[in-house]
Amino acid sequence: MIKRVDLSKPGNVEEYIASFDSPEQQDFLRRLRDLSRANAPTAGEGLKWGNPAYFLDSILFAFAGYQRHANFVFTPSTKEAFADRLTDFDTGKGSIKLPYDKEIPEDLLAEMIAYRIREFEVDGVKWM
């Protein structure tokens, strides 16, 4: 018997999270969503490039799930402002790799979200 694969794309963040097979992945991504909403309560939520993103007039930050980790993505300037506290993480241009089997650095991400909101509202720094 051939298994049918659903090729439709998620229409919202909840569908995005539900598209992951593992309950552990889903739980981790839901916690990132809850953290995002709690720390950016006035930001809109939607999918950008197929991933959860939070925005005011411009994207503030986003996250994405992968097989073994999630990435939380800020502007490079936000990531750079916290570089001394990110030495224990694999990072990219603006991303922080968060393995599913490790604790979410909630306090650090909350501080980075607050910094990013200020960076956008006060300094006018737009998404890359």
Side-chain angles (χ1 to χ4, degrees), residues 5-67:
V5 177
D6 184 3
L7 298 177
S8 64
K9 294 182 180 183
N12 58 49
V13 175
E14 188 56 41
E15 289 177 9
Y16 174 87
I17 292 170
S19 73
F20 286 79
D21 294 330
S22 160
E24 292 79 17
Q25 292 169 324
Q26 290 179 9
D27 178 62
F28 194 94
L29 295 171
R30 278 194 185 92
R31 288 187 289 140
L32 290 181
R33 182 187 194 194
D34 291 345
L35 177 79
S36 299
R37 293 165 117 183
N39 288 282
T42 62
E45 175 187 76
L47 296 177
K48 185 69 173 168
W49 309 291
N51 298 307
Y54 296 83
F55 49 88
L56 293 173
D57 291 333
S58 176
I59 295 173
L60 296 170
F61 57 89
F63 66 84
Y66 298 96
Q67 185 173 352

Side-chain angles (χ1 to χ4, degrees), residues 41-121:
T42 62
E45 175 187 76
L47 296 177
K48 185 69 173 168
W49 309 291
N51 298 307
Y54 296 83
F55 49 88
L56 293 173
D57 291 333
S58 176
I59 295 173
L60 296 170
F61 57 89
F63 66 84
Y66 298 96
Q67 185 173 352
R68 292 188 172 85
H69 71 279
N71 275 352
F72 212 97
V73 185
F74 294 98
T75 56
S77 53
T78 295
K79 191 202 92 177
E80 186 58 35
F82 290 84
D84 62 329
R85 295 176 58 195
L86 296 171
T87 57
D88 292 337
F89 297 90
D90 288 336
T91 61
K93 182 177 177 182
S95 65
I96 304 159
K97 189 177 192 178
L98 303 170
Y100 293 127
D101 63 350
K102 305 276 187 202
E103 288 297 317
I104 295 172
E106 293 181 9
D107 291 342
L108 175 59
L109 291 177
E111 288 180 52
M112 293 180 79
I113 290 169
Y115 180 93
R116 174 64 188 123
I117 291 169
R118 187 207 56 80
E119 176 186 61
F120 171 74
E121 291 179 339

